[in-house]
């Protein structure tokens, strides 16, 4: 794992936006795996600015989002379809976009269709991930199979509480989501995970330095060939090998060697 520690969330978001833009410049036809959530808003804002400044184009790219709530139609104000339109799709030249349909008549059939669509597209080139405070990636909650494919997951109470800020009432937060599986994510060519803030400190430590375990689904990334973890000071506080990461990538910069 490449561990890049930045002084603050702003610099960490700059770094992730640049990693995505760099990939699109060298490989315009990349299949991007995209995430939602509070963490990604700063990344998408930077990508929109870069697009407007002529520094990046998404015209050749295809995107597949990680997840969607079961039961929410694409135009629901709290759906991830809506989030993606508001935070990215409506502002850049990315047109070939995919998310699971939360309002499909049969969510299991929809999950299988979505997995097949990712495979048919040749799998994900660059997968962007956030990190749940409980160690989830996508909506693969603790105890998820480490080889799972896209399917329905029941959300933990803590995940529903964390996401309740987007809904009027806690009871409105759906109990289920369609999510790419951990096996789906692990097939990506390259993974970039962004986490910042003190709320992620335990999950970051477990992901990077803990045992590989379904108790912290993100820890499976230790088995991936090309992962960049971008974090800020606050999220890095629990790392035991901090001095080593600083030595390899001072100030979150590129490797010395
Ligand atoms: C979002 C997703 C989740 C979030 C995670 C962190 O598509 O799959 O794994 O990345 O819950 O969410 P925030 O960024 O809101 O802390």
């Amino acid at each position: 794992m490449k561990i890049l520690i930045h002084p603050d969330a702003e610099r960490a978001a700059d770094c992730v936006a640049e990693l995505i833009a760099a990939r699109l410049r060298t490989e315009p036809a990349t299949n991007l795996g995209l995430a939602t959530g509070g963490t990604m808003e700063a990344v998408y804002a930077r990508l929109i600015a870069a697009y407007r400044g002529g520094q990046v184009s998404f015209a050749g790219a295809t995107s597949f989002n990680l997840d969607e709530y079961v039961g929410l139609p694409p135009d629901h104000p709290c759906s991830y379809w809506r989030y993606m339109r508001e935070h990215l799709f409506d502002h850049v030249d990315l047109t070939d976009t995919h998310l699971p349909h939360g309002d499909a008549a049969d969510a299991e059939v929809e999950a299988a269709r979505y997995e097949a669509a990712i495979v048919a597209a040749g799998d994900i080139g660059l997968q962007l991930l956030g990190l749940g405070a409980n160690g989830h990636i996508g909506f693969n909650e603790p105890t998820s199979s480490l080889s799972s494919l896209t399917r329905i997951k029941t959300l933990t109470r803590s995940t529903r509480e964390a996401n309740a800020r987007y809904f009027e009432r806690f009871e409105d937060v759906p109990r289920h989501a369609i999510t790419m599986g951990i096996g789906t994510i692990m097939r990506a060519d390259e993974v970039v995970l962004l986490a910042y803030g003190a709320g992620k400190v335990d999950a970051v430590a477990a992901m990077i330095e803990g045992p590989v375990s379904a108790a912290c689904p993100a820890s499976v990334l230790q088995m991936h060939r090309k992962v960049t973890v971008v974090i800020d000071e606050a999220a890095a506080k629990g790392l035991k090998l901090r001095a080593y990461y600083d030595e390899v990538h001072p100030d979150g910069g590129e490797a010395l060697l």
Side-chain angles (χ1 to χ4, degrees), residues 34-41 44 65-68 80 83-84 128-141 159 162-163 165-166 179 185 194-196 200:
L34 298 178
T36 57
T39 307
M40 295 307 155
E41 291 178 17
Y44 296 144
N65 264 77
L66 281 163
D67 38 29
E68 178 59 287
Y80 285 163
Y83 171 104
M84 289 309 299
L128 178 61
L129 295 177
L131 179 66
N134 64 1
H136 73 211
I137 47 175
F139 274 136
N140 294 285
E141 300 284 34
T159 295
N163 291 357
R165 64 191 191 278
Y166 296 107
T179 180
I185 293 168
L194 173 62
Y196 45 71
K200 303 289 170 74

Side-chain angles (χ1 to χ4, degrees), residues 18-37:
E18 183 45 39
L19 288 172
I20 296 168
R23 171 103 190 192
L24 287 170
R25 281 183 213 115
T26 53
E27 211 178 309
T30 294
N31 287 338
L32 290 173
L34 298 178
T36 57

Side-chain angles (χ1 to χ4, degrees), residues 54-91:
Q55 290 130 10
V56 69
S57 168
F58 298 81
T62 297
S63 72
F64 287 91
N65 264 77
L66 281 163
D67 38 29
E68 178 59 287
Y69 291 114
V70 170
L72 301 195
D75 58 357
H76 188 284
C78 298
S79 76
Y80 285 163
W81 273 102
R82 178 71 84 87
Y83 171 104
M84 289 309 299
R85 282 204 299 271
E86 279 174 13
H87 293 285
L88 188 68
F89 298 164
D90 285 354
H91 311 284

Side-chain angles (χ1 to χ4, degrees), residues 31 62 64-65 98-100 107-124 148-151 178-181 184 187:
N31 287 338
T62 297
F64 287 91
N65 264 77
H98 304 258
L99 283 89
E108 276 185 40
V109 171
E110 171 61 6
R113 181 201 67 79
Y114 197 69
E115 178 74 27
I118 294 168
V119 171
D123 280 325
I124 303 300
S148 50
L149 302 179
T150 305
R151 69 213 182 293
I178 296 174
T179 180
M180 275 191 207
T184 319
R187 293 199 311 268

